[in-house]
């Protein structure tokens, strides 16, 4: 589900969860000329979606309008395909810019076809991470993505490790205290 007032980042994250969409960028431009995008002046938000992965001419996103709802029943979505197809004289049919340059943002290409796992390191505790896997070959590029179950995970805070080099000593000159010395634990648990 995508909320009516979703940010561009939220729309991007939701769309990238679809198995037919790889890497995209989404920008929000609510000051767009409403007549130019087919709105009758009731535009709430205008999102521009650019495909960054190397997929060629990707088909238009289709929205099931029966799933578009609002509390007062006036919700609607207008889609414009930035069609990258060529006209009869081999010029682009529209002014859309093909998103065919791989950006590889947050991706890792594993060249070993025998690899069956990959460890992602350097994550930040408490942040949610989304992962998808797809196969790739030289002839056809990327196949459809498969989302794991669950599709996202948040590395949890953990119990900190034990302190190191703990020592206990008499507090010389004082009869009512002792001194404990220690080094910090190897892991603070993410806190």
């Amino acid at each position: 589900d995508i909320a009516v007032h979703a940010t561009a980042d939220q729309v991007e994250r939701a769309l990238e969860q679809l198995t037919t969409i790889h890497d995209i960028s989404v920008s929000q431009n609510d000051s767009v000329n409403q007549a130019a995008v087919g709105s009758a002046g009731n535009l709430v938000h205008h999102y521009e979606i650019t495909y960054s992965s190397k997929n060629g001419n990707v088909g238009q996103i289709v929205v099931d309008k029966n799933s578009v709802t609002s509390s007062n029943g006036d919700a609607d979505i207008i889609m414009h395909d930035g069609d990258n197809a060529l006209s009869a004289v081999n010029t682009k049919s529209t002014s859309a810019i093909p998103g065919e340059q791989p950006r590889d943002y947050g991706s890792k290409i594993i060249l070993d076809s025998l690899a069956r796992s990959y460890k992602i390191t350097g994550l930040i505790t408490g942040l949610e991470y989304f992962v998808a896997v797809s196969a790739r070959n030289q002839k056809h590029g990327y196949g459809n993505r498969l989302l794991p179950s669950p599709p996202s995970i948040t590395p949890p805070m953990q119990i900190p490790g034990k302190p190191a080099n703990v020592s206990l000593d008499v507090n010389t000159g004082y009869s009512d205290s002792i001194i404990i010395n220690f080094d910090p634990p190897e892991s603070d648990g993410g806190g």
Side-chain angles (χ1 to χ4, degrees), residues 5 22 70 166 177 186:
H5 296 293
H22 291 264
S70 69
V166 179
S177 63
E186 189 175 315

Side-chain angles (χ1 to χ4, degrees), residues 7 15 23 33 45-46 65 78 86 88 106 113 123 155 158-159 169 178 186 191:
T7 65
L15 291 176
D23 193 16
N33 178 342
H45 296 296
H46 174 81
K65 292 200 175 194
I78 301 168
L86 298 178
S113 62
L123 304 180
Q158 301 175 16
I159 296 172
D169 221 345
I178 56 175
E186 189 175 315

